[in-house]
Amino acid sequence: MHTSENVLRPDIALSWRRSEMSGLARSAPNLQVEADAIDRRSRLVAAAEPVVAELAAHLGDAEFCLMLADRASRIVDMSLGGRSLRNRLEALGGVVGVVFREETTGTNSIATAHELRRGIAVRGEEHYLEPFRRFSCYGHPITHPVTRRLEGVLDITCHTGDDSPLLAPLIARAARDIEERLLRTARHSEQRMLAAFQVAAAGRNRAVLVLGEGVVLASPRALELLDPADHIRLRDIAAGLGRRGVRGGFERHLRSIELVSGRSVSVRFQAIDPGTDGVLFEFDGTEDPREGKRLRSPATPSTVSVPGTPVYVGGAPGTGRTTTVRSRGGGDPERRLVTLDASEAVVRGEAAWLADLERAVDSHPGLLVIEDVQLLPDTCCLRLRRLMERPGVRIALTGAPLAELTGRHAVLAAGCPTQIELPRLRDRTEDLPGLVRTMLDGLGVGKDVRFTPAALASLAGHPWPGNLRELHTVVRTAAGRRAAGDITLRDLPGSYQVSPRHRTMTPLERAEHDAIIAALRASGGNKLHAARWLGISRTTLYNRMRTLRISG
């Protein structure tokens, strides 16, 4: 007779629920092997090796097994004891390269510790998978002492008959020993980064920068040249360079980049050394003949010079549709414009709205702006379409993205020779530093306040459903907490203090991300049903969720 879910400990019961929602059957694991993705020379493996070896020596041939998983919950090392335990674990998929996540192996001390980010014991009948119920296991996460990022999970497993309450503190102590070794490794890494920086910058007035995990070293010239927002771009450029260097040599790479200031420079960069995450950047001057002249800020919306023909400005709410139309008064030198909101046709009635439209056309010589035309009733669309064809009438329409328009609303947009599509903020996060700077200037805080690179990186990791409007609210809130100085991660509203994405999604990846999110919502979080709804296998869904950093 198995343990009933309603008498399980809360953490175990919630883990069972997550496992069930993933579509995992209780009879067997859904094994997933990623042996090729294992980095056997990683900092985690190097730091854990002597600790695990010492534990294994103390345990000898006793029926215990030590398993080390990386931050993706892949088994990267196993130290097995007695033959009986070894054979049983291997028969259930306990081999190097197997992914121990709740959606693949259910509730256990590796998968659930990875999910909870804290130590946990899973004993016998508490395992979600029936074949695992003959074992007890204790797992503890390994967190990097500097970055506070999860590096992996250390586990000890035994037969239920060999279970002991002493195993929990034993494995927790071993995890702390690994963390201390990671700290020493980080210190050595910092020393190598400092040495590389000193060699590159010695005796020369050059812009030299070193970026590492939690480390920034910059020469005076680099401080003058670079805005903190440039660090985000540079980190993206160097992402994964250290690991490529281990396999292919630490060659230098050369490319041209445009800085936030608008200046175009050449930069040489290379991974510093095996065992470090540091990258050395050396800047070789400007390729822009204007030598430091500030180009148009990416925060400046595309302006619309409205001729005598209609213009359609489309985009999601908050993308700056109205600002784009108003930025130069539609090209009118006197900046005269009048605005009608299409939603008023629904609230006040079509007749009243049409009367306002006629009055605006007859009495207003400037630009007439119709907001949110996708809300207009068909009768109003027909009348507006006729007015757009009248000579001398200057009209600009704003509304939903062109692809979302149908029927009469699509006809209205099609009647505009000039069509401008504004991207969502989440698809233009490279512009975010400039947008933030412009918003700070607009708030009147001047140059006394700036966002740190960490704060900007955190904002870049947000999906921004409210687009520019939402960003402005966040900037205003954060600036209200600082009269001068740096706005740090802690100054941001709580929900925006998130870990940044390692890279920006492409439009295709963003579409895929949104489709998966929609499928998960439609299926109530059941991954098996979501995979069927999307027409893909459950394994493919898990892989794409990890790649796109979708939790759930």
Side-chain angles (χ1 to χ4, degrees):
M1 180 175 179
H2 298 312
T3 301
S4 174
E5 189 170 352
N6 60 6
V7 298
L8 293 172
R9 289 183 287 144
D11 284 343
I12 301 297
L14 287 173
S15 175
W16 277 38
R17 178 61 175 162
R18 289 190 296 268
S19 302
E20 182 181 33
M21 293 292 285
S22 73
L24 182 65
R26 298 189 184 187
S27 56
N30 177 32
L31 293 180
Q32 182 177 333
V33 181
E34 298 180 358
D36 292 341
I38 291 176
D39 185 0
R40 297 182 181 275
R41 289 182 286 186
S42 69
R43 293 179 305 174
L44 173 66
V45 172
E49 185 176 7
V51 178
V52 171
E54 183 179 359
L55 264 179
H58 285 309
L59 295 171
D61 293 331
E63 295 287 328
F64 292 95
C65 173
L66 295 168
M67 288 189 281
L68 177 68
D70 63 14
R71 67 167 60 102
S73 213
R74 293 180 292 248
I75 304 300
V76 295
D77 186 43
M78 294 181 66
S79 181
L80 294 163
R83 182 178 300 275
S84 172
L85 180 63
R86 178 170 65 245
N87 291 342
R88 287 185 174 182
L89 289 175
E90 289 179 347
L92 292 173
V95 296
V96 171
V98 166
V99 178
F100 264 63
R101 301 286 290 270
E102 289 184 337
E103 61 263 27
T104 62
T105 57
T107 304
N108 59 76
S109 63
I110 294 179
T112 306
H114 182 276
E115 181 74 28
L116 299 178
R117 299 297 199 265
R118 53 183 170 82
I120 192 168
V122 182
R123 304 179 182 90
E125 296 289 318
E126 291 181 327
H127 284 90
Y128 180 80
L129 292 180
E130 294 175 357
F132 285 7
R133 291 175 179 169
R134 68 187 71 175
F135 306 112
S136 289
C137 53
Y138 295 79
H140 202 281
I142 300 166
T143 303
H144 196 287
V146 176
T147 65
R148 307 312 303 166
R149 184 172 67 173
L150 178 71
E151 293 289 336
V153 176
L154 185 64
D155 163 271
I156 186 167
T157 298
C158 63
H159 292 109
T160 53
D162 297 323
D163 195 352
S164 168
L166 297 178
L167 294 177
L170 176 69
I171 208 69
R173 176 67 256 180
R176 287 194 294 272
D177 289 343
I178 295 173
E179 290 173 351
E180 289 176 3
R181 291 183 59 82
L182 283 171
L183 179 59
R184 291 198 294 272
T185 301
R187 288 170 177 161
H188 294 155
S189 173
E190 290 173 3
Q191 291 171 1
R192 290 193 288 272
M193 284 188 274
L194 177 59
F197 172 77
Q198 290 172 332
V199 170
R204 289 172 283 181
N205 183 26
R206 297 183 56 194
V208 177
L209 177 73
V210 169
L211 294 179
E213 203 165 359
V215 175
V216 177
L217 301 172
S219 68
R221 181 74 183 106
L223 290 173
E224 295 174 3
L225 178 69
L226 302 173
D227 187 277
D230 291 317
H231 293 186
I232 300 174
R233 175 83 184 281
L234 294 171
R235 286 188 187 276
D236 283 342
I237 290 173
L241 186 62
R243 181 172 292 184
R244 290 197 300 272
V246 170
R247 294 196 297 266
F250 291 85
E251 71 275 10
R252 288 188 175 188
H253 303 262
L254 176 66
R255 66 182 293 178
S256 175
I257 65 170
E258 185 176 301
L259 304 177
V260 169
S261 65
R263 190 173 188 175
S264 181
V265 298
S266 293
V267 58
R268 296 195 311 274
F269 58 99
Q270 66 182 107
I272 289 175
D273 198 355
T276 76
D277 291 315
V279 177
L280 172 68
F281 298 88
E282 297 176 87
F283 299 87
D284 285 339
T286 180
E287 295 174 351
D288 189 341
R290 290 166 288 185
E291 185 66 16
K293 180 180 178 181
R294 189 169 186 87
L295 305 180
R296 182 179 68 85
S297 167
T300 304
S302 300
T303 57
V304 182
S305 181
V306 180
T309 54
V311 172
Y312 183 84
V313 180
T319 52
R321 298 175 307 197
T322 302
T323 302
T324 301
V325 172
R326 291 174 179 266
S327 58
R328 288 184 180 173
D332 190 306
E334 297 182 10
R335 296 181 178 269
R336 294 179 297 173
L337 56 84
V338 66
T339 300
L340 294 180
D341 194 325
S343 64
E344 290 295 313
V346 179
V347 176
R348 297 174 53 231
E350 297 176 24
W353 192 87
L354 286 171
D356 289 343
L357 177 64
E358 296 290 348
R359 281 193 297 272
V361 171
D362 292 339
S363 62
H364 181 66
L367 176 66
L368 174 61
V369 181
I370 311 297
E371 299 270 26
D372 289 316
V373 295
Q374 76 277 3
L375 302 177
L376 276 181
D378 284 353
T379 302
C380 297
C381 286
L382 287 170
R383 181 56 184 155
L384 178 58
R385 183 71 179 88
R386 294 193 186 100
L387 290 174
M388 289 165 57
E389 297 172 351
R390 182 188 298 181
V393 176
R394 303 177 59 247
I395 293 178
L397 311 179
T398 73
L402 290 165
E404 297 179 12
L405 298 178
T406 59
R408 302 283 186 187
H409 308 119
V411 172
L412 279 176
C416 298
T418 301
Q419 297 176 344
I420 297 172
E421 189 85 23
L422 299 178
R424 297 175 185 269
L425 179 56
R426 67 189 185 192
D427 295 325
R428 51 182 295 215
T429 52
E430 70 279 2
D431 292 344
L432 193 141
L435 290 166
V436 169
R437 183 69 261 165
T438 297
M439 290 177 181
L440 286 172
D441 292 343
L443 292 168
V445 298
K447 302 297 183 182
D448 294 332
V449 175
R450 68 173 191 171
F451 278 65
T452 64
L456 288 170
S458 182
L459 294 181
H462 190 69
W464 299 110
N467 293 295
L468 297 177
R469 193 176 302 151
E470 180 184 359
L471 176 62
H472 190 271
T473 300
V474 173
V475 171
R476 186 178 66 245
T477 301
R481 298 174 179 174
R482 289 276 182 180
D486 289 343
I487 293 176
T488 68
L489 198 62
R490 293 183 179 181
D491 296 315
L492 300 178
S495 60
Y496 296 85
Q497 297 177 15
V498 297
S499 299
R501 291 196 302 262
H502 290 289
R503 61 183 177 85
T504 302
M505 292 185 187
T506 66
L508 181 60
E509 287 174 326
R510 172 56 63 184
E512 187 179 6
H513 176 280
D514 292 349
I516 291 173
I517 291 295
L520 289 169
R521 287 174 178 168
S523 63
N526 188 306
K527 297 183 181 67
L528 178 60
H529 293 167
R532 289 174 179 169
W533 190 80
L534 291 166
I536 60 178
S537 69
R538 188 173 60 187
T539 300
T540 299
L541 176 62
Y542 292 144
N543 289 337
R544 297 312 299 158
M545 288 178 65
R546 277 193 292 276
T547 299
L548 300 172
R549 306 187 190 283
I550 300 173
S551 60

